[in-house]
Each structure stands twice: as C-alpha cells, then as structure tokens.
Amino acid sequence: MIVVHSQDIHDPMVAQSPRSPPSPRQDPRILPIHPPPPPPPPPPPPYHQDDEPRSLTRRISRGAANKLTRRRTSTTINTDHRDNSSGPLMVRRRSNSSGLADEAGFLDRSDPPTDFDDAWEDPSISSVGPDSPISGARTPNGGFSYGSAPPVAGVGPIIPSILQRGTMLIKVTKRKRKTFKYVLDTDAAKVCWDPSRPNKRFYIDDIREIRTGADARNYREDFQIPSEAESRWLTILYADQGRSKGRPIKTMHLIAPNEYIFDCWTTTLRDLSRYRMEMMTGLAGLTETSLCALWNREMTRTLTNRTRTEQDPRLNLEGVERLCLSLHIVCSKNDLRYQFAKADRQGVGSLDFGGFKDFLKGLKERRDLKEIFSSVSSDQELGLDKTEFLTFLRDTQGMSPEADPAHWNYVFERYARKDRLKGNMTPTAEEEEGDRPTRMKFEGFSAFLMSPSNSVLGRTTRVEPLDRPLSEYFISSSHNTYLLGRQVAGESSTEAYIWALQRGCRCVEVDCWDGPDGRPLVNHGRTLTSSVLFSDCISVIGKYAFSSTPYPLIISLEVHCGPEQQVVMAEILSSTLEGRLLSQPFITNSLVLPSPEELKNRILIKVKAAEDVDEVTLLSSVASGTRHRSASSPSARPPMPEGSSISSPSTSSGAMPSPAFTPPRRALSVWANATTKRQVAGAAGISISSAAEDSDQRDGLIGQERRNKKKKKPSKIVNRLGDLGVYTRGYKYADFDLPESKTYNHVFSFSERSFENLCRDTDLKSQLEQHNQQYLMRVYPAGYRINSSNFDPNKFWRRGVQMVALNWQTYDLGVQMNEAMFAAGTDRTGYVLKPRELRQPILSLGSQWSFLPSRKDRKLVRFSIDIVSAQQLPRPRGAGVEQTIDPYVELEIFCADDKARGLAIGEGGLDASARNGMSGIGSPHRRRTKIVQGNGYNPIFNDKFTVSLETKFPSLVFIRWTVWSSVDGRSYGDRNGALASFTAKLESLQEGYRHLPLFDNKGEQFLFATLFCRIKKDDPVPVSREDVKWGKVESLKSLGRSVFSRTTSSVERKKSLEDGTL
C-alpha cells in the first residue's frame, strides 16, 4: 500500500549543511516566530461546595464547563475510532487552483459508488501481488512510507520522514500568530499540532482543498501578512465533523519556514488524500491493486516487531474483524465468522492473501443481482451476449440503445472485457478470431449495474440549447450566500461562494455595507455575523463563476452602502469581472429577455434602479480619500424608519403609454426625460425604490387604497451602480398594472411571507402567475428563519417564480429538493425550462405581440418503486463499535398542489401518510418498508410500492428515500435521526434497476452506501380520460373511497373534474 523511503532525507530543521534548505533563523523572508507562551497558572484548590457563593452566574458557568468536558470526551472516543480507518467514508468534492472542479478519482454526486478504478482495463496492473516490489515495505519504527515512484494505482505517494518527525509551522489567526510543531501521523492519516490536546488535529480524509499562492492571497492580505510570505503560505480547508459554530468547514492558515518544507506539506497532503480515496473506491469493485494495498497496510500494522516471511503474512479472525471496522463495514459477527470459515479452506484459523480475497468476495456477494442476471441470461455459465444485453436495456431499463449504438457497444465490450481481465473468462480461439460473440458474465453485469453508465438520474449525451427567454427558466438561486452557518451569529466567508458555485448555483447574493476604511463589507447587517471584503467576494465569484456551468451567473446585490462606497462597488465590479460583466444590452429596443444561450459566460448584476444623482461630488470625494460613514453601516447606530417621502405633483393628463423596456442609463427614460422623470413617475404611482431584500413587503400591498396612501421612498442607488442592472433591474412591488411592471428587464423580490400574503387574494395570485410568465421574480426566506432553515420551494415554483433563493448552508428538505431540481441532464446547467403550463409561447402578430392563455389541467401520474436492498449503510451517530442497526426505508412523495386538492393513493408497505389520504404542500404521501433486524451491511427489503397521484404539476413531483434505524428492531422511529437520504425529481429518474446514492444530513455523499431499487413510470395522462393505461379513473376513485372512506359523491367528483376546480 504505502511505501516508505529507505534512503535518508535531508532534514532542514536538523542538519544545517550548505546543501540543506535554510533554517527558519537563516531565512530572512520568514516572519518572526513568537516566543513560547508562559507556563499555565497553577491549578485552583480543590472545589468545596461550602466555599462557593450561591451565584446563578457561577452555576451556569459550571454547567457550561461540564457540557464542554463531556463534548471533549466524546470527541476523543470518536477520534480513536477514526484513527483505525483505512480511508474516507464520504465522497469529498475537491477543486483545483484553477477554479474547476477536480472530478478525477472522485465520485460524481449523482452517481453511486462504482468500480471506476481502471486497473481492470490494464492487464499489467492485475498481476501485482502482495509481495510485489512496488507494494510496500515497513520502516524500522513500524510506520508506512511511500514508494519513490509517482503515485499510481495501489502505490502511495512519497512521505518525507521530516513530516513524520514534525516541522515547525506558524499558525495564523485573526487574533495572533503562533508556532506549533506539526506532525503527520501516517498510520492514523491525520495531522496533529498539540499533543496535550487530542482535538487539535485534522484528518487527511476530511481535507477538501489546499490553497496556495494567488488562490489564498485574499486570506493573507486579510491577516495583513507581507507578500514575501506568499510563496510559503498554505490554507487548508477541511470538513468540520462537529459543525462547531454551525460551520460545515474549517480553515487553517499556515506559513512554512522555507519553500522546501512548504513543498513537502502541500505535495504530500494532496497526494495522500487522493491515494486514500482511490484505494477505497477501488475496494468497491474488489480491484487487485486496491486489495494488495489494503493487505500490505494490515500486514505492516500486524508485523511491526517481526520479520515478514512467506508463511507469516496471515490474518486471524480478530484481525479480519478489525479490518472490517477500518473499511466501515457494519456487519454482524455471525456473518463475519461464517464468511471467515468459508474462506479458511485449510481450517487453520487464519487467512492468507488468497483467502482474504475470497473472504471479501463472499462478503460482497449480491444475491439480488444474481436473480436478475439469471432472469435475463439464457446461459448463466456463458453469460450475456450483446443481443441479450441490448434487450435488457430496452425492455427492463427503459433505455433506447438504438439512439446511440456506438456508446452501448462500447459499454458492453468494456464490462465484458473486465470479466476477462479479472480471470473470470478466458477468450477462446473463436472469440479471438471473431467467430464467437463476446459475452458478459455475472461480475461484469453487476459492475455495469453499479457504474455511472447505469446512473439513476438521466444524462443526455446531446446538450439541448437553452434558447428560450430568461424568464421561462427556473434558476438555481442562493440566499445570503456568504454565510456558512446561522443568520444571526454565523460566519461570513468567501468559501461559501465557492461551495455554491461549484454546486451549480446561478444566482448568488451579496449584502453590502459601508466599511470603516472606505472599503465595502459583506455581512448580514445588524447581526453578530462576521464580515468579509466586498472586493474579495467579487474576486472569488469571478474566478469560480463558470466552474460548473457556462451559463449566465446573476449577482444579486443588496446595497446598504452610502453613495461614495457604491461608486467603489461599481469600480470593483467593472475592474474585477472585466469582459464578462454585462454592462450594455445586446439589443437596444428589445421586448423580451435574452436566452441563457445568448448570455453564456456573462455575469449579470441584479441591483435597484437608480435615480438622477449628481456623482461629480461623489467621484471627487472618492478620489481625494474623503470618506463618510453611512447610517446603514453595521458599526453605526441603526437608522430610524423613514417616514418621509418625496411628494410628487399630480397630473391630469391622459393615459401614459406602457414602456416595453428600461434602458441601461436611466430608469424610465423611454417615456420621460431626465427633468420630468419624477413628476411622471409620481403621477403613475411608480415606486422607484428597489426590490432589495432589506425589508419585507407589508400586508398593505394587497389593498388598492392602502397602496395609494403608501408613501414613496426615493432610491438610494447611484447611477454608476444602478446602470449595471441591464437585464435584472430591481423594483419594489406596488401593483402589477403599473408601467414598471411591464418593463421587460424588471425584477420583483418578495420574502416568503409577503408572497404568501399576496397569494391569498385570488385576483392578485392570477396576476402574479401571469406576470411570471414573462418577467423575473425572486423569493427568499423570511427573516424569522434565524437558524437558516428553508421553505418548500414547490410553493413558489408552481407560481412560476424563477429565482427561489434558499439557505444552501442547511441541508434540509428545501435544499434537497432544489438539488434534485437541477441534478439531471441539461438541468445541471442551473437552468430548468419551466413546464408549459407556467410559461406562454410568444406569438408575433404583425407589429404587436400577444400571449396565449394557459390552462392547468389535472393529470394522473402513476409510478412504482421496488426497494430491493441496501448496501453498507452507515452507523447511527453515537453508536458503539459492536452495535448493529435495524434499518428500514421511508418513501415520501412531494407534489406542488394544495393539500385540499392533491390526492395520492399508494399500495404496498406500511402507510405512514395523513389519515385522510390527502397530500400536497406540507403533507407528503409516506410509505415504509419492513424492518430488517441486525443487518446494516446488505439488508434485503423486497418491498414494492405503487403510487397514483393527481396533480396540476407533473414536473414538480419529488421523491425522497430516507433510511432509518429502528430503536428496538420492532417499532418505527429513531431518536438519533435519519441515517441517510436521497431526493430526486420524478421526471429525472430513469426506469429499471438502479443504485441510488445516499447522503448524510450535511449533504455529503457516502462512498459505499447505496439503495438498490427498480423504478417504473408511466407518462402523465389527463384525469378526464376513461382509458388510462394503469386502470380507469373510476376504479381509482373507487379505490380511494374504500381506502380513505371518502364521502364525495361520484356526481360531485365528475362535476369538479369538468369545472377544473379539482
């Protein structure tokens, strides 16, 4: 596995020879190292209750200290368990310094763990055995070192011995700089820097990214570290398992004493992290190289104080059990002992390398897959020929192999060839001459079913152009993107933007406030959240804007800055984003928004519309360095609510024509010049104030009289910044009939509560839906969600809202549905074409433009899901090493209809939905499998579910699989929370036998855990049809009445269907 260097490596911290790298004291570039801290004060005398005053504060402090002590103890236990891990349990998404996601060697989020180690395709690699010279050697101290060759399959990278002994590095924080000795523990795969505190460490498997040079420059400059240290600066981002302060990741900033130490750490950590991931993914397919690496690693640990011989390297039952724990295998001891006895053919109580391979092969045997293979193969010994394989794809998997025969021929040859390379099938003379067709045996067939070629989510090989107007797409959007945790006391970081952009977000939010030194800041104003520089945020956004998709990115600005720093913001945007920033419209007199295809690789700014403001004074003030703190600065006193407004003179002139667009340089200038703009706007009742999210719209917006009485507030946005809102110009909603509501490039923004209040009025709801068929709208979570929770996005997608902004830092149902919406095929671009009932095709009638009305007819959606089995489910949080789990799966169906109107009927398993049988927003239809006792490794469920759903929005039906562990093996429910889950859009699911990836409660994908299901779907049909493929509607209604005791008569039901009210 890991091979240690036998030759000596010069230690620059010890040997000070002329050829050695300079020591920290000799290097003039190194920052001064602070002296060691003073010794800690002596411990206090023993505690006596009589000596302590009865103080509430003291008791609270003592209680908090006790809780912290208990936390540290549990962390230590968890640390000891992870020290024995052979590799990562989760799939970590990493990125390289270029800003592009580095997918090599890592699983895609939509793909289950698979045997994508291409060692099977290289016969020379398969010959590597446990005693191969490249497999590894043992160091005198029992640790593992790495071979001198570059990292290849089964061979680890070079580990310099200096890192195992430890090097001095300067740790930089906002408060101080302190020098620690950092030690790389290769056996436990972790880095420690304080032996007296076990929690001062991070694991190699948790590393997400290592940033150096220009990629980490914003951190170095933020900490005011001289540029001379940039070549020795490294920033390590790693997962925070405890989510301290609500953060999913932690950031560590280090300065190496010289470039040699810097190169040692950065190269070794990157290579070691990649190697451990590749080895674990190779074990999923039982590749020879990964098995050899694992065997050598265990032999090195076992034979630390003995000499290895040909007869010596064997594992007993205790060693096998320990090895299974390191591989995250949750299996009962009885199963382990049975497979061990089966592999121990000599009956000596231990296994050699061959017996070890047989043991793992028996442990991973899939009886469920063998049944499928026997049903589709005419000869199980010879295997599937190409005709049988293509028939299986067509009839069982619901695919069309005729559409891309070259691709499927390649897939068949690939997995049939893997059989031969693993020694399961030797090509005969007839096969080599081409007289006998190639066949795929069971091993290749099972490998195909677990591969990306058989992904549960549809993937299109041909990318369809996104050539409809921007308003006809759902856009993947984020709210308060800069936050890593909670809304009130969370941390603001540029890492949150990187994380969102790499996951396909196409609309990010930036809240801007006045900085004390003239530089705008980004934070959640008037809260305890930390701040980051606006320039750093824009720099990161510009770098990662198109790391996952080339389609347009929208930056939603919430501006609280004064005029001076608004000019600074505009300059930063223009200079940083340069040619990618869209500052002028493509067509001057356009009537519709451009398409995402036309806006490829362009960045749009969503900002308030500006008023006429004399910027000469502002520009001169900025140039001279004069700064004035805005009243909205986070360090200033919160301003009083503005009650004053500009009184606009009334006009009795005739009706004013509705403009078709807003030009980039002046708001409303198409029908009014600069001198009469405010008068005309006042006469029309136009609110030039923006739609920024700094305040919720009030309930008074519903009544026309209160709208007329509502005082207008002028915009505080200067022209230089407001002009950047070319196609996404913000206005505050006042009425859908006002001229500003007819401009093609306007955007209305609502909080969820204001939106729901607006929809309570039937007429306004109809106007809102009609508005969203042509124009843009954004909805964001209400202010009371201080824990960064999310709403059900279906409530707003069904109304045609394009930008449904969510708190991406919280992986709850809302974010899971949002990821499912943008997870398959062209949806991964971050743009999903809205269903036809939520958009109107534009028809040209001479010089006029008209829009066809749309009708939302109810449709019957029918599908079935067979939950066959699960593989390597994770342990519950806090579970003991010996504890087994009793898993069951819960199936939830979410639709976009109101509860009073959506009707779902299911069969199979245990019904766990509402008693009245109704489903819809806030009330999903639920069903559960049986509980499998004591088996979390390979439980077999074989539960079949059939669901019939009446809905107006077939494309907004989502399904969530959630894996739970029973408390006692008999009852449903678990106090420790769900083990794993997976959410998908029904429209995106592929039919047939599929492995579903599973995710934890943070959105991280498990490396081995999957669900194996069979999916069948039928095309949605209108409910009014009598001959439905899955049965007549009358039988469906009869079934519904018998199951849920419905009282609605058939006459009333038929009348409701004809009226379209049901």
Side-chain angles (χ1 to χ4, degrees):
M1 174 186 170
I2 309 174
V3 187
V4 182
H5 248 336
S6 58
Q7 69 265 29
D8 293 333
I9 298 179
H10 291 290
D11 188 345
M13 303 297 293
V14 179
Q16 302 296 330
S17 62
R19 295 184 180 180
S20 302
S23 66
R25 297 180 181 274
Q26 295 173 339
D27 192 346
R29 300 171 301 172
I30 194 65
L31 296 175
I33 300 178
H34 295 283
Y47 165 76
H48 297 285
Q49 184 176 1
D50 297 338
D51 298 337
E52 181 183 6
R54 297 180 178 180
S55 170
L56 177 62
T57 304
R58 184 67 58 86
R59 290 198 299 269
I60 293 177
S61 301
R62 186 173 67 249
N66 292 337
K67 290 185 178 180
L68 290 176
T69 304
R70 289 196 295 269
R71 286 182 182 177
R72 291 194 183 112
T73 302
S74 61
T75 303
T76 305
I77 296 175
N78 186 31
T79 299
D80 296 337
H81 175 68
R82 293 197 63 186
D83 286 351
N84 299 320
S85 174
S86 296
L89 176 64
M90 314 302 298
V91 178
R92 297 293 179 194
R93 179 183 176 90
R94 296 171 173 86
S95 61
N96 56 27
S97 59
S98 64
L100 300 177
D102 184 5
E103 298 284 319
F106 301 103
L107 293 173
D108 191 275
R109 293 181 61 87
S110 63
D111 295 333
T114 176
D115 57 327
F116 57 83
D117 187 345
D118 290 333
W120 282 0
E121 300 186 11
D122 188 352
S124 62
I125 297 180
S126 63
S127 63
V128 178
D131 297 320
S132 171
I134 70 169
S135 297
R138 182 166 46 88
T139 57
N141 61 357
F144 239 73
S145 352
Y146 292 61
S148 57
V152 296
V155 180
I158 299 174
I159 294 286
S161 59
I162 184 177
L163 302 186
Q164 295 175 301
R165 296 194 298 269
T167 66
M168 305 302 292
L169 299 175
I170 300 177
K171 182 181 179 183
V172 181
T173 63
K174 290 184 177 180
R175 297 181 179 179
K176 58 183 178 181
R177 308 170 197 170
K178 192 172 181 180
T179 302
F180 293 96
K181 184 178 182 180
Y182 283 76
V183 179
L184 175 61
D185 185 347
T186 56
D187 289 334
K190 65 181 179 181
V191 176
C192 308
W193 60 91
D194 191 346
S196 62
R197 303 171 67 182
N199 62 333
K200 295 300 180 181
R201 49 85 187 117
F202 65 85
Y203 286 90
I204 304 297
D205 297 334
D206 290 338
I207 295 179
R208 282 187 175 173
E209 188 174 358
I210 299 175
R211 299 222 183 101
T212 58
D215 295 335
R217 183 173 299 162
N218 59 318
Y219 287 114
R220 180 184 56 78
E221 293 178 347
D222 188 30
F223 293 132
Q224 299 181 357
I225 301 298
S227 59
E228 290 79 7
E230 181 169 301
S231 61
R232 295 172 285 113
W233 176 285
L234 66 153
T235 295
I236 302 175
L237 285 80
Y238 58 97
D240 184 5
Q241 298 293 338
R243 288 184 73 91
S244 60
K245 301 181 181 179
R247 301 176 300 179
I249 59 175
K250 283 186 176 181
T251 306
M252 178 176 292
H253 310 285
L254 303 172
I255 302 177
N258 51 63
E259 294 184 6
Y260 173 77
I261 300 296
F262 170 83
D263 291 336
C264 286
W265 277 109
T266 55
T267 303
T268 302
L269 291 179
R270 285 170 175 162
D271 291 345
L272 183 56
S273 178
R274 178 181 295 274
Y275 168 73
R276 288 175 61 85
M277 176 66 76
E278 289 176 348
M279 188 191 71
M280 293 297 284
T281 52
L283 288 173
L286 296 180
T287 60
E288 189 82 6
T289 50
S290 297
L291 290 175
C292 290
L294 181 65
W295 177 263
N296 284 309
R297 175 182 179 273
E298 190 63 23
M299 288 299 100
T300 301
R301 288 184 173 183
T302 305
L303 307 177
T304 300
N305 300 318
R306 290 182 292 171
T307 303
R308 178 173 170 176
T309 64
E310 291 294 333
Q311 293 78 20
D312 203 7
R314 302 182 70 91
L315 277 179
N316 57 15
L317 179 60
E318 181 182 355
V320 169
E321 291 178 349
R322 182 176 62 252
L323 185 58
C324 288
L325 288 177
S326 71
L327 295 176
H328 313 291
I329 295 177
V330 184
C331 190
S332 65
K333 284 192 173 183
N334 292 334
D335 291 339
L336 290 179
R337 290 168 182 170
Y338 171 77
Q339 294 297 340
F340 181 87
K342 186 177 177 181
D344 184 17
R345 299 177 181 177
Q346 301 175 358
V348 297
S350 61
L351 302 178
D352 58 6
F353 181 69
F356 173 69
K357 290 196 296 182
D358 293 339
F359 168 79
L360 286 183
K361 185 176 180 180
L363 199 62
K364 289 180 172 289
E365 184 180 12
R366 295 285 300 275
R367 291 174 296 172
D368 50 350
L369 299 186
K370 283 190 173 182
E371 294 177 1
I372 301 172
F373 182 74
S374 62
S375 66
V376 299
S377 175
S378 59
D379 192 327
Q380 298 184 37
E381 293 297 328
L382 294 178
L384 291 171
D385 60 20
K386 186 177 297 183
T387 302
E388 292 174 329
F389 177 71
L390 297 179
T391 302
F392 168 73
L393 294 178
R394 186 186 306 107
D395 298 344
T396 305
Q397 301 299 92
M399 295 180 173
S400 300
E402 300 83 4
D404 193 357
H407 168 73
W408 291 112
N409 287 337
Y410 165 77
V411 171
F412 176 79
E413 295 291 339
R414 177 184 180 185
Y415 290 99
R417 186 168 65 252
K418 285 187 175 184
D419 275 326
R420 293 197 298 269
L421 293 178
K422 292 189 71 178
N424 297 313
M425 179 186 292
T426 303
T428 62
E430 292 84 355
E431 288 179 338
E432 293 177 350
E433 294 175 1
D435 297 335
R436 185 174 178 181
T438 304
R439 288 182 174 270
M440 179 190 295
K441 295 197 72 174
F442 171 71
E443 285 76 9
F445 178 75
S446 59
F448 162 74
L449 289 180
M450 294 186 291
S451 71
S453 301
N454 194 51
S455 173
V456 66
L457 299 179
R459 289 190 173 188
T460 56
T461 56
R462 180 178 58 87
V463 179
E464 299 178 1
L466 307 181
D467 53 4
R468 302 294 301 171
L470 200 64
S471 57
E472 296 191 20
Y473 292 89
F474 294 127
I475 304 173
S476 182
S477 306
S478 169
H479 170 63
N480 287 353
T481 316
Y482 49 87
L483 289 179
L484 291 175
R486 297 178 180 270
Q487 301 288 312
V488 176
E491 180 181 355
S492 304
S493 173
T494 56
E495 300 300 332
Y497 289 102
I498 299 175
W499 179 239
L501 293 172
Q502 288 182 342
R503 293 164 67 187
C505 184
R506 294 292 83 196
C507 178
V508 297
E509 185 179 23
V510 183
D511 291 358
C512 313
W513 298 80
D514 279 334
D517 56 353
R519 297 187 296 174
L521 298 177
V522 175
N523 61 34
H524 199 194
R526 304 187 183 96
T527 63
L528 300 178
T529 58
S530 60
S531 302
V532 290
L533 289 174
F534 175 78
S535 57
D536 290 344
C537 293
I538 299 304
S539 176
V540 166
I541 292 173
K543 180 177 180 181
Y544 292 86
F546 306 105
S547 60
S548 61
T549 170
Y551 287 93
L553 172 68
I554 301 174
I555 301 178
S556 179
L557 296 181
E558 182 179 334
V559 183
H560 301 270
C561 296
E564 296 178 6
Q565 294 199 20
Q566 287 184 38
V567 176
V568 176
M569 289 172 56
E571 293 175 350
I572 292 174
L573 289 168
S574 301
S575 60
T576 304
L577 304 180
E578 298 178 338
R580 293 170 297 174
L581 178 65
L582 189 69
S583 57
Q584 296 292 333
F586 293 142
I587 303 176
T588 305
N589 295 321
S590 176
L591 297 176
V592 295
L593 291 168
S595 67
E597 202 71 34
E598 296 173 314
L599 294 170
K600 264 188 174 180
N601 297 308
R602 304 305 293 266
I603 298 178
L604 309 180
I605 303 298
K606 175 187 170 295
V607 67
K608 297 179 182 181
E611 282 190 293
D612 284 331
V613 178
D614 184 9
E615 296 184 11
V616 176
T617 305
L618 299 179
L619 294 175
S620 61
S621 176
V622 172
S624 62
T626 305
R627 308 291 186 189
H628 301 283
R629 184 179 302 278
S630 169
S632 60
S633 171
S635 57
R637 179 179 299 178
M640 297 296 293
E642 297 183 11
S644 59
S645 63
I646 298 178
S647 177
S648 301
S650 60
T651 308
S652 59
S653 59
M656 184 177 58
S658 299
F661 71 100
T662 305
R665 294 298 302 173
R666 291 291 185 268
L668 312 177
S669 63
V670 76
W671 68 87
N673 56 36
T675 58
T676 62
K677 192 180 306 178
R678 296 180 182 175
Q679 289 80 356
V680 176
I686 296 175
S687 172
I688 305 182
S689 300
S690 84
E693 293 76 46
D694 48 1
S695 63
D696 294 347
Q697 288 80 2
R698 298 175 183 175
D699 297 342
L701 295 176
I702 298 178
Q704 180 65 35
E705 294 182 358
R706 296 184 65 181
R707 284 198 301 271
N708 295 336
K709 295 180 180 180
K710 187 177 178 64
K711 296 181 179 180
K712 306 298 187 297
K713 293 185 294 184
S715 172
K716 298 180 180 179
I717 304 301
V718 300
N719 288 331
R720 173 167 290 200
L721 183 60
D723 290 346
L724 296 179
V726 179
Y727 291 123
T728 49
R729 177 160 296 181
Y731 289 92
K732 193 166 188 175
Y733 167 78
D735 196 293
F736 288 117
D737 293 329
L738 293 177
E740 63 200 45
S741 301
K742 308 299 182 182
T743 57
Y744 83 108
N745 61 346
H746 79 273
V747 181
F748 285 150
S749 291
F750 294 92
S751 73
E752 59 171 309
R753 180 173 291 178
S754 300
F755 186 94
E756 292 170 352
N757 291 337
L758 197 68
C759 291
R760 290 193 179 102
D761 186 285
T762 304
D763 294 335
L764 288 178
K765 181 177 67 174
S766 178
Q767 294 181 40
L768 181 145
E769 293 178 354
Q770 187 176 1
H771 169 277
N772 292 341
Q773 291 173 347
Q774 305 174 45
Y775 311 113
L776 293 175
M777 183 175 289
R778 182 176 183 269
V779 175
Y780 56 94
Y784 65 82
R785 297 183 180 272
I786 59 176
N787 61 343
S788 297
S789 61
N790 290 291
F791 44 65
D792 185 345
N794 257 346
K795 290 197 292 188
F796 310 102
W797 284 331
R798 65 175 178 170
R799 306 299 181 201
V801 177
Q802 296 85 0
M803 292 174 282
V804 179
L806 298 170
N807 293 308
W808 283 40
Q809 65 270 33
T810 304
Y811 192 70
D812 54 10
L813 175 61
V815 171
Q816 293 170 24
M817 293 176 65
N818 187 80
E819 288 195 351
M821 169 67 82
F822 302 95
T826 55
D827 298 347
R828 303 178 72 159
T829 61
Y831 287 83
V832 173
L833 187 65
K834 295 194 290 187
R836 183 170 295 276
E837 59 267 18
L838 295 179
R839 56 187 176 91
Q840 292 179 336
I842 301 176
L843 300 180
S844 176
L845 301 177
S847 59
Q848 301 294 326
W849 293 84
S850 62
F851 301 88
L852 294 177
S854 61
R855 176 183 174 86
K856 302 182 185 68
D857 297 324
R858 299 187 70 82
K859 295 182 179 180
L860 176 64
V861 177
R862 178 93 176 190
F863 60 92
S864 66
I865 297 177
D866 300 350
I867 300 180
V868 182
S869 62
Q871 294 74 44
Q872 289 194 236
L873 297 177
R875 293 180 182 273
R877 180 173 300 180
V881 177
E882 304 294 334
Q883 180 179 343
T884 59
I885 61 178
D886 307 309
Y888 66 92
V889 182
E890 183 176 76
L891 194 68
E892 296 173 283
I893 294 89
F894 302 89
C895 65
D897 300 79
D898 291 326
K899 285 193 297 184
R901 298 182 179 179
L903 173 64
I905 300 174
E907 299 175 358
L910 176 67
D911 189 1
S913 53
R915 292 184 178 181
N916 57 7
M918 307 303 288
S919 66
I921 296 292
S923 181
H925 182 75
R926 292 188 178 96
R927 307 199 78 82
R928 292 169 178 167
T929 66
K930 61 176 176 288
I931 299 174
V932 178
Q933 296 183 355
N935 186 359
Y937 180 71
N938 54 358
I940 302 296
F941 299 101
N942 279 333
D943 277 310
K944 299 183 178 181
F945 302 94
T946 301
V947 179
S948 299
L949 175 69
E950 294 181 13
T951 176
K952 292 181 179 180
F953 311 97
S955 60
L956 296 180
V957 176
F958 294 83
I959 305 174
R960 179 167 70 170
W961 291 259
T962 306
V963 182
W964 300 83
S965 178
S966 173
V967 178
D968 54 7
R970 298 180 302 274
S971 58
Y972 292 91
D974 185 6
R975 296 185 298 270
N976 296 322
L979 300 181
S981 66
F982 172 68
T983 307
K985 186 169 56 174
L986 178 62
E987 193 178 64
S988 302
L989 291 173
Q990 295 200 101
E991 294 187 79
Y993 291 99
R994 310 286 175 173
H995 284 86
L996 279 58
L998 292 177
F999 300 83
D1000 66 0
N1001 60 356
K1002 305 173 189 175
E1004 299 285 352
Q1005 181 182 339
F1006 289 102
L1007 185 59
F1008 296 114
T1010 56
L1011 280 177
F1012 185 53
C1013 301
R1014 185 179 186 181
I1015 301 169
K1016 292 182 180 180
K1017 300 189 298 181
D1018 194 32
D1019 295 332
V1021 295
V1023 175
S1024 58
R1025 286 181 52 182
E1026 293 294 333
D1027 52 341
V1028 184
K1029 179 179 179 181
W1030 293 77
K1032 293 185 178 181
V1033 179
E1034 290 297 330
S1035 62
L1036 175 63
K1037 292 187 289 185
S1038 176
L1039 174 64
R1041 286 192 294 269
S1042 62
V1043 175
F1044 303 114
S1045 302
R1046 301 187 66 225
T1047 58
T1048 304
S1049 66
S1050 60
V1051 177
E1052 295 175 347
R1053 175 75 170 173
K1054 184 176 181 181
K1055 182 179 179 180
S1056 299
L1057 291 173
E1058 292 174 351
D1059 295 339
T1061 59
L1062 186 61

